[in-house]
Amino acid sequence: IADLAQNLVGDNAQVLGIMKTGEDPHVYDVRPRDAQMIANADVVLMNGLHLESTLEHIIENNAEDAVIARLAVDDRIKTLGSESTEGAPDPHCWFNVEYFKVYTERARDALIAADPDNTEAYKKRAADYLAELDALHAYVIEQLDTIPQDQRVIVTSHDAFQYFGKRYGVEVLAVIGISTEQQPR
């Protein structure tokens, strides 16, 4: 999400990601600086669907004047549940490129709401980014078309690829559920 934000803001704003590359949002340990970063933010972009569950109360208590956008919470995104989480929504929507386009539009709109003076810049960068996502979507389909349908299987430790599998016709088999806190099945 920080990378998406950076692509949209360019030089118009500073982007600070709370979670660093490689950190697991399912088990993230909140740090004291997180509340201060959120309190100073004009925009808070988050996935939603309980992915950032350890940060939700920090965001709600500290982002008083910020525009908060839960990027995966949109009627255009049909969330999947998980047997392993008793029907809780699977938060990994971004693995369907078409859904990540929704993230992009929602992030663009949040930036415009917080900084209307740069509306045209945000719209232009979002349009460019959406074109890149269209190309990625076409590339994924093209590459998967080279694999016979009955051989399209992903075996993974963490059940994070159901949106990818459903959209692109790939069977996904996972050892653990949608949260890395879960035990193997």
Side-chain angles (χ1 to χ4, degrees), residues 94 96-102 104-105 108 125-143 167-168:
W94 64 87
N96 176 336
V97 176
E98 292 176 320
Y99 286 171
F100 199 70
K101 289 175 61 177
V102 174
T104 302
E105 293 167 357
R108 175 203 61 209
R125 289 189 200 104
D128 292 345
Y129 196 74
L130 289 166
E132 287 182 38
L133 291 173
D134 284 337
L136 175 62
H137 177 67
Y139 176 78
V140 170
I141 290 170
E142 177 184 315
Q143 295 304 302
R167 175 58 189 93
Y168 300 109

Side-chain angles (χ1 to χ4, degrees), residues 27-89:
V27 294
Y28 178 75
D29 287 324
V30 177
R31 299 177 188 110
R33 68 170 169 83
D34 296 343
Q36 188 60 45
M37 287 175 64
I38 291 166
N40 292 335
D42 296 314
V43 177
V44 175
L45 301 176
M46 56 191 289
N47 188 79
L49 302 178
H50 309 290
L51 182 67
E52 305 92 343
S53 61
T54 60
L55 277 171
E56 293 237 14
H57 71 282
I58 302 294
I59 293 168
E60 305 228 346
N61 291 334
N62 291 283
E64 295 175 22
D65 297 322
V67 174
I68 300 172
R70 289 170 175 81
L71 304 179
V73 180
D74 189 283
D75 290 340
R76 295 171 289 176
I77 294 176
K78 305 301 179 220
T79 56
L80 301 173
S82 172
E83 294 174 19
S84 60
T85 57
E86 298 163 6

